[in-house]
Amino acid sequence: MKRLYSCLLLGCLIVNAVQAQHKSGSQNRSSKEKYTNLQDTVFAINEVVIESRQKNRTEALKLDVPAKFVPMSTNSISAGMLEKRDIRNIQEAARFLPGVRFRTSYGAFTQFSIRGFDNSVIMVDGVRDERSAIDNSYPFMDLSTVESIELLKGPASALYGQSAVGGVLNIVRKAPQSRQSVYARVAYGSFYHKQATFATGGKLIGPLNYRASVNWQGQEGWRSNATERLSGYLTVGGQLTEKDAIDIRIGTNRDFYATEIGLPATMSNDIFATADNSKYLSKGDLLPGLDRTARYNSESDFMYNRGFNASAQYKHTFGSAAKLMNKLSYTYDDIDYFGTESLDYLTSDKPIYKHYYMTKDKAGNDQKKYIALDSIYYSYPLRFSHIAQTVNNQLEMSGHFYTGGLKHNYLGGYTLVALMRTSYMAYGKGSTGATGPGTTGHGSVYNPHSIGWMEAPFRFATVQRRFMHGFYLQDLIEFSDQLKMQLSGRYDLFRYKTANTNALNGQREYEEPNDDAFNRITNGAFTFRTGLVYLPTEHFSVYGSYGTYFKPITTLYDANTIYVDKNGNTFTPVNGKEVFKPEKGFQLEIGARYEISTTLQANMSLFYINKNNIKQKLASKGDVVNGVPLPMQVQGQVGRMDSRGFDMDITWRPLSNLSLTTGYGYTDAQVREMASNIYMSSDQNKGKQYPQIPKHTFYAYGAYTVSKGALKGFGVNMDTSYQDKVYRNTGNSSQFDAYWLTDIGCSYTLPNNIRLGLNINNLFGKEYYNQALGNQLVPSMPRNFMLSASYTL
């Protein structure tokens, strides 16, 4: 009974505080006000629910101030939104972040872009996932433990170091809590999709709290692309003393993905009938009559991802003027992959097939190449594995102090990141390394079946070592209640070394190369961000900012490559040294925020991002230049691109049980300049849209829950999203068409805290493509459903 009275008293105090804050919104505040940072908190007392949101703070911003004080664009997705829509994958969640696009290739490797740039960083609990800084293509964790997804848009090198170009995505996992809780969920959906989650938390011992969870999901897949994922999570933490706190987190996953090679390729050339020379198909056409559910993969294909991560964070509070934090984390990631990848049609120089296309012979003369459109073979089986270990340590001091009448909210720190990655390959030196019947077998296009098994023992290993030292300082200066300024600066020292060696016995083993066998790159850069925020009223703020970024390019000299510098001139790099200078650029942004408690939040921003020193492939081996086939490929650093656009989002809660959200992003990412060179004309790609970036993205979703009466506890939700057409190559000659998707759902929460839910995705059964492997398009999932039942204590 005492506990109940305490809860009632606390609830009343919170309501009074919120009402007082609202009444005094137009009054001036002391510049020495302390920020409570009390975030979305819910106190449940039998039938009474009190919800308070006094301060809006984004963890990715690091500074302990309201987000409206910082001149940066941010968005977030809550765990509640994900739960209502039964979302467990990042690709689905990203539909509700303006200016963001996620896509999946090979069935498991996630790639994403923010504001027109593929080079963006993903973090988990504020720790960089270094895989995103290498090639932006890797499997991603499930979202069963996520508390929120935070998006920080624009270059963020001043905060998080190299390669944070388009923005930063921070996945915040659930924290330990003192209240005893239990959560259990089971779900079943289309194509034998099954899910089960169990979580519990509460007091552990003394001041320590905990949360533990396990999640399993498996499905046969609508194209027989079976997936099975298992993950676990444990966090322990608490306030050891009045000034000392710890937070320990451990996560693990064991996932299996069926690789995905898509449908037989679209036509690379116009296709003609051999019998009468009539045109049968145009370049870019898909073969007619293909079964979208048919699977063409080899029986030997597989993709495993096994991972482990652990972090320990310690905080000591000296007082409001200074807080010390140190966070040490370790990540182990194991990717093991075999994929047939390329499907090719049988061809011949002799007229033995019913169709042909025109090509060039070695002398550059036109010739007919005959093609069998009813038969395929595996032309490029690929076997590789990456084992990566990352150590990340962040040491930070933060707090605030005053100089005269100015308040300084500061953060200073040092970050050390060490990544040790070994890549094992079966392919190389002109061979895929694969053997078995599948390497020579042929299959049917319209009745796909097993062409034969394959295997590929490892032959080579590439050893990589990356080290980054970052020193940074931020200061958010409060000149008055209305005017704030942010100053951020960071210096990063980047070191990279790599060496090739042989794999031992076909397994994932290698002999460590001698130190003098490593090629090395060392470079550093200073980046900064500065901006102003003006708050004419308590609820409205406008801001402007300027920031810079850099991204090291780890290309090393290869005797089989021709190199071109930024002026279009051919050059010969020094063996073992840096070939290309880092990419660098800047962003200009202006924006505004409007927020009235939990009733209305609106954000909008205009941005311009410039990217210099673009490295790209200018020509391939065999391409004809000045009438002569090239003996090797050509790479150059000859371009400049930029991205300019606008994004906005609005959330309106006219009632406590009704919420409506909409967002729109416009991104115009183009190649703006190209240095003239003999391999590519200066206007060849100038003005072309950057590939894989939609110009327009839009989403809207709403949720309503009946709060009283016979239907109390019944809820409905609906969302719709739009993605504009996406060019698939730099020449803008092929594209994914634009499409709309609409989902609906309903749920019913029983008095005993059991929630029953039904979600229907792709309600109108839209047939669309959003990913491909080369010219092999991968159909997206048709209409599907998910039934779920969960219990919360």
Side-chain angles (χ1 to χ4, degrees):
M1 185 63 69
K2 289 183 178 179
R3 183 173 298 178
L4 178 60
Y5 286 152
S6 299
C7 290
L8 287 170
L9 178 59
L10 180 58
C12 292
L13 289 173
I14 291 175
V15 171
N16 290 334
V18 173
Q19 291 176 341
Q21 182 190 24
H22 183 72
K23 290 179 181 178
S24 62
S26 60
Q27 299 176 1
N28 291 331
R29 299 181 175 184
S30 168
S31 62
K32 297 184 179 181
E33 177 185 15
K34 295 182 180 180
Y35 307 121
T36 61
N37 284 307
L38 181 62
Q39 299 191 37
D40 298 335
T41 306
V42 177
F43 300 89
I45 309 170
N46 294 336
E47 300 299 322
V48 181
V49 177
I50 302 170
E51 185 172 311
S52 171
R53 183 178 178 175
Q54 288 183 303
K55 295 296 178 183
N56 177 16
R57 182 176 182 270
T58 302
E59 297 295 327
L61 294 175
K62 288 182 175 283
L63 291 173
D64 191 16
V65 297
K68 64 182 179 181
F69 285 10
V70 183
M72 297 183 189
S73 297
T74 60
N75 295 96
S76 65
I77 298 176
S78 68
M81 185 271 195
L82 299 175
E83 181 75 13
K84 288 178 181 177
R85 288 158 181 78
D86 279 326
I87 292 176
R88 287 292 186 271
N89 297 315
I90 190 67
Q91 297 92 331
E92 299 171 35
R95 290 168 49 202
F96 307 104
L97 292 171
V100 176
R101 179 176 183 246
F102 269 81
R103 60 192 186 277
T104 302
S105 56
Y106 312 103
F109 290 84
T110 299
Q111 299 164 294
F112 75 108
S113 61
I114 303 175
R115 285 187 169 179
F117 292 91
D118 288 337
N119 302 122
S120 302
V121 169
I122 283 186
M123 301 188 301
V124 178
D125 297 330
V127 177
R128 287 169 53 111
D129 186 333
E130 284 304 308
R131 297 177 301 174
S132 60
I134 299 176
D135 48 23
N136 190 24
S137 180
Y138 50 89
F140 195 75
M141 62 183 286
D142 67 64
L143 302 181
S144 61
T145 63
V146 169
E147 179 66 31
S148 65
I149 301 174
E150 301 176 342
L151 173 63
L152 176 60
K153 290 177 283 189
S157 287
L159 288 175
Y160 295 108
Q162 54 99 1
S163 298
V165 181
V168 169
L169 199 68
N170 186 33
I171 309 300
V172 182
R173 294 182 293 184
K174 295 182 185 296
Q177 56 185 10
S178 60
R179 184 178 64 86
Q180 188 64 41
S181 65
V182 174
Y183 172 80
R185 175 182 178 272
V186 292
Y188 180 82
S190 300
F191 316 114
Y192 303 100
H193 191 173
K194 301 174 283 288
Q195 297 179 356
T197 306
F198 178 79
T200 183
K203 283 283 187 181
L204 182 61
I205 183 172
L208 296 180
N209 307 315
Y210 80 99
R211 180 179 177 84
S213 66
V214 61
N215 180 70
W216 174 86
Q217 61 188 76
Q219 61 175 329
E220 292 188 9
W222 81 282
R223 302 187 69 243
S224 300
N225 49 341
T227 300
E228 186 167 329
R229 309 184 70 181
L230 177 65
S231 63
Y233 174 63
L234 171 65
T235 176
V236 176
Q239 199 74 30
L240 301 180
T241 68
E242 183 180 352
K243 295 185 176 182
D244 299 284
I246 64 168
D247 186 307
I248 298 172
R249 302 188 179 194
I250 299 173
T252 184
N253 68 280
R254 183 181 177 88
D255 301 332
F256 170 81
Y257 303 86
T259 64
E260 176 60 85
I261 61 176
L263 301 174
T266 58
M267 300 300 107
S268 299
N269 306 83
D270 292 340
I271 304 296
F272 302 89
T274 302
D276 58 6
N277 296 322
S278 61
K279 189 174 182 179
Y280 176 61
L281 293 172
S282 297
K283 181 179 179 179
D285 284 352
L286 193 65
L287 269 176
L290 292 177
D291 181 1
R292 287 170 54 89
T293 67
R295 184 167 175 78
Y296 293 84
N297 284 72
S298 164
E299 62 199 69
S300 303
D301 291 358
F302 63 85
M303 162 65 186
Y304 290 98
N305 179 223
R306 305 172 182 90
F308 171 83
N309 62 83
S311 67
Q313 177 179 283
Y314 168 75
K315 285 185 178 180
H316 179 78
T317 302
F318 295 96
S320 60
K323 298 177 183 179
L324 179 68
M325 187 277 291
N326 192 82
K327 188 170 190 175
L328 175 65
S329 65
Y330 169 80
T331 302
Y332 174 88
D333 185 66
D334 181 350
I335 296 174
D336 198 9
Y337 174 90
F338 185 96
T340 46
E341 297 214 349
S342 295
L343 293 171
D344 276 344
Y345 303 102
L346 300 178
T347 60
S348 175
D349 292 334
K350 298 179 181 180
I352 59 175
Y353 300 129
K354 296 180 180 180
H355 300 91
Y356 71 90
Y357 61 91
M358 299 304 299
T359 186
K360 299 283 187 182
D361 61 18
K362 292 182 179 180
N365 301 316
D366 292 338
Q367 81 170 100
K368 290 182 178 180
K369 180 73 73 172
Y370 296 90
I371 183 171
L373 294 178
D374 57 359
S375 297
I376 53 173
Y377 68 99
Y378 300 138
S379 60
Y380 198 71
L382 195 64
R383 177 80 170 102
F384 64 82
S385 177
H386 303 303
I387 298 178
Q389 299 181 74
T390 306
V391 176
N392 185 309
N393 192 79
Q394 302 175 37
L395 177 63
E396 294 180 348
M397 180 74 78
S398 63
H400 65 260
F401 63 89
Y402 296 87
T403 56
L406 303 182
K407 182 178 181 180
H408 298 262
N409 303 277
Y410 73 91
L411 171 76
Y414 163 70
T415 295
L416 167 66
V417 180
L419 169 67
M420 288 70 70
R421 187 171 95 154
T422 303
S423 299
Y424 299 91
M425 296 156 288
Y427 62 92
K429 297 184 178 179
S431 172
T432 65
T435 60
T439 59
T440 56
H442 299 162
S444 169
V445 168
Y446 292 101
N447 184 27
H449 59 275
S450 173
I451 295 177
W453 61 268
M454 290 178 285
E455 63 179 6
F458 293 116
R459 301 160 63 209
F460 310 106
T462 298
V463 182
Q464 295 184 57
R465 303 288 185 259
R466 291 169 176 251
F467 303 93
M468 184 176 72
H469 302 268
F471 305 86
Y472 49 94
L473 180 63
Q474 296 185 65
D475 186 12
L476 191 138
I477 307 170
E478 300 186 45
F479 293 98
S480 65
D481 290 344
Q482 288 75 40
L483 185 62
K484 325 289 180 182
M485 172 185 281
Q486 183 186 26
L487 300 172
S488 304
R490 176 171 177 139
Y491 179 79
D492 284 287
L493 178 63
F494 177 78
R495 298 179 183 273
Y496 171 79
K497 67 177 186 178
T498 183
N500 295 322
T501 186
N502 293 324
L504 300 178
N505 304 316
Q507 304 301 311
R508 295 193 297 177
E509 300 174 355
Y510 70 97
E511 184 176 348
E512 183 72 27
N514 295 326
D515 187 66
D516 56 5
F518 282 88
N519 295 310
R520 290 172 166 80
I521 291 175
T522 299
N523 53 44
F526 175 77
T527 55
F528 68 91
R529 189 159 189 163
T530 183
L532 287 172
V533 179
Y534 177 64
L535 296 93
T537 70
E538 178 187 3
H539 304 300
F540 180 66
S541 64
V542 294
Y543 65 87
S545 70
Y546 178 90
T548 62
Y549 80 89
F550 89 108
K551 177 183 181 296
I553 298 177
T554 56
T555 299
L556 292 161
Y557 175 67
D558 179 0
N560 296 313
T561 301
I562 299 172
Y563 296 97
V564 178
D565 64 21
K566 63 181 182 180
N567 298 315
N569 301 318
T570 302
F571 72 100
T572 301
V574 177
N575 190 18
K577 300 295 183 180
E578 179 183 69
V579 174
F580 295 121
K581 297 297 181 183
E583 289 182 358
K584 292 187 177 182
F586 64 88
Q587 172 183 271
L588 290 167
E589 179 178 11
I590 58 173
R593 296 187 183 93
Y594 186 73
E595 179 174 354
I596 301 180
S597 185
T598 60
T599 304
L600 178 66
Q601 294 95 36
N603 301 277
M604 63 81 62
S605 60
L606 292 164
F607 65 89
Y608 173 82
I609 307 176
N610 184 78
K611 178 179 178 181
N612 296 310
N613 297 346
I614 302 174
K615 173 213 164 186
Q616 59 182 306
K617 186 177 180 179
L618 304 181
S620 300
K621 181 180 179 179
D623 288 352
V624 178
V625 176
N626 295 330
V628 179
L630 288 173
M632 58 187 72
Q633 66 170 337
V634 183
Q635 292 186 2
Q637 196 170 32
V638 296
R640 180 183 72 84
M641 71 160 287
D642 64 26
S643 176
R644 55 191 73 176
F646 165 82
D647 47 53
M648 56 79 67
D649 64 275
I650 301 172
T651 297
W652 182 42
R653 298 180 178 89
L655 302 171
S656 61
N657 55 346
L658 172 65
S659 66
L660 303 168
T661 299
T662 185
Y664 168 75
Y666 171 77
T667 305
D668 180 18
Q670 293 187 23
V671 176
R672 301 296 177 181
E673 294 179 4
M674 294 289 295
S676 296
N677 60 87
I678 62 173
Y679 307 103
M680 178 183 289
S681 64
S682 60
D683 59 354
Q684 182 171 331
N685 289 324
K686 185 177 180 180
K688 297 290 180 65
Q689 293 294 314
Y690 214 61
Q692 308 298 338
I693 308 300
K695 264 194 174 182
H696 303 275
T697 56
F698 170 82
Y699 66 88
Y701 61 85
Y704 174 75
T705 303
V706 179
S707 59
K708 58 185 178 179
L711 293 178
K712 182 180 178 180
F714 178 76
V716 294
N717 65 81
M718 181 175 181
D719 63 72
T720 186
S721 62
Y722 171 77
Q723 179 179 286
D724 199 4
K725 68 180 180 182
V726 172
Y727 289 112
R728 296 174 48 227
N729 56 12
T730 55
N732 295 175
S733 60
S734 63
Q735 67 182 48
F736 295 123
D737 293 332
Y739 61 88
W740 285 87
L741 289 180
T742 300
D743 309 327
I744 61 171
C746 62
S747 64
Y748 182 61
T749 302
L750 302 172
N752 57 3
N753 294 327
I754 293 177
R755 179 183 181 274
L756 306 176
L758 168 64
N759 282 276
I760 301 175
N761 303 313
N762 193 2
L763 177 64
F764 301 111
K766 174 67 177 178
E767 293 187 357
Y768 66 101
Y769 298 94
N770 190 34
Q771 55 180 301
L773 186 57
N775 287 329
Q776 297 159 199
L777 301 181
V778 179
S780 293
M781 191 178 296
R783 182 187 301 111
N784 60 93
F785 74 90
M786 178 67 74
L787 282 166
S788 63
S790 63
Y791 171 75
T792 304
L793 175 64

